[in-house]
Amino acid sequence: MRSISDLLNDPSDHTALLFDAFKEHIKIKVVPKGTILQYQGDQSGTGYYVKKGLLKSYIIDEKGKEHIFMFAPEKWIISDIESQIFDIPSELFIETLEDSEIYVLKKELLNQSLLPDHLVKSEVIRLLKRISVLQKRVIMLMSAPAIKRFEHFMETYPDIIHRVPQKMIASYLGITPEALSKIKSDQFKKP
């Protein structure tokens, strides 16, 4: 059995085959430009395959500024991976930038239970978890203050703060080593 990504990324049009194989998990929609398909805070876990058109995912930070995470033209899938994997509210808005024809991919389609082999299942889940960490990091680099990025780093990698040089952690966070020293000293002064 071919994988979902093989079917979606094949240069020939296998949409009928994909639809037949997974029709209980796919809904075809035609949506106008400017339609918000997913709001920040939604917990739908839905993904979207772009048959025709263009979508974007983005966040709006605390100051009301929009930060685009990615664009999805034809033959791309767009979703909030972290929301899907960890069943948490989405951080991302997903919106159509053009009149679009999309396949709405229910969470169950991307779930490991539809994959044929146990080793493939565990590998896919492991990779998706890594992708979700990367997604979170990119979003934070775009919009979160340095202190929030440091706190997320500590949650994600609690064991390595004493294992790598401070300059590497600062580089990862997108700040100077001096700024990291200040953040750390402020953090440890808190009651």
Side-chain angles (χ1 to χ4, degrees):
M1 179 175 180
R2 296 180 67 195
S3 74
I4 295 166
S5 63
D6 286 345
L7 290 169
L8 293 175
N9 292 317
D10 191 319
S12 59
D13 188 1
H14 289 289
T15 53
L17 178 60
L18 176 70
F19 186 76
D20 285 344
F22 299 102
K23 61 185 168 199
E24 68 271 12
H25 301 288
I26 297 173
K27 181 179 178 185
I28 299 173
K29 280 180 93 172
V30 176
V31 290
K33 174 183 178 177
T35 302
I36 297 177
L37 301 168
Q38 175 179 293
Y39 287 87
Q40 208 168 25
D42 283 356
Q43 200 157 356
S44 67
T46 303
Y48 305 94
Y49 171 74
V50 183
K51 175 72 175 163
K52 178 181 171 239
L54 180 64
L55 279 64
K56 71 174 178 178
S57 60
Y58 60 97
I59 62 164
I60 297 178
D61 68 19
E62 296 169 356
K63 297 177 182 173
K65 183 177 179 191
E66 179 182 298
H67 301 274
I68 295 175
F69 178 65
M70 73 178 280
F71 295 102
E74 288 83 3
K75 297 187 179 181
W76 280 52
I77 293 176
I78 190 168
S79 70
D80 185 324
I81 295 292
E82 185 177 38
S83 177
Q84 289 179 328
I85 296 302
F86 298 112
D87 200 28
I88 60 173
S90 175
E91 285 192 68
L92 297 170
F93 288 90
I94 297 177
E95 181 179 345
T96 57
L97 294 176
E98 299 174 350
D99 292 342
S100 299
E101 181 181 344
I102 58 173
Y103 289 3
V104 180
L105 310 173
K106 294 179 184 176
K107 181 179 181 174
E108 296 79 17
L109 178 63
L110 303 175
N111 187 310
Q112 65 187 12
S113 64
L114 293 178
L115 299 172
D117 179 88
H118 177 69
L119 293 175
V120 172
K121 290 177 190 179
S122 61
E123 183 66 14
V124 166
I125 292 303
R126 188 178 63 78
L127 290 173
L128 288 174
K129 286 180 180 178
R130 287 185 179 171
I131 291 169
S132 74
V133 169
L134 179 60
Q135 174 183 299
K136 181 76 168 177
R137 178 176 180 229
V138 170
I139 289 170
M140 293 190 83
L141 284 172
M142 291 187 313
S143 63
I147 184 68
K148 294 287 185 199
R149 296 194 307 261
F150 176 71
E151 289 169 355
H152 181 258
F153 175 84
M154 293 297 294
E155 290 172 18
T156 306
Y157 303 108
D159 303 350
I160 69 170
I161 189 131
H162 301 293
R163 295 171 58 192
V164 298
Q166 182 165 306
K167 68 181 180 179
M168 286 186 187
I169 296 170
S171 173
Y172 179 90
L173 296 173
I175 59 177
T176 65
E178 295 79 17
L180 178 57
S181 289
K182 178 159 178 23
I183 289 170
K184 285 170 64 177
S185 73
D186 290 349
Q187 281 293 100
F188 295 121
K189 286 179 187 175
K190 284 184 178 178

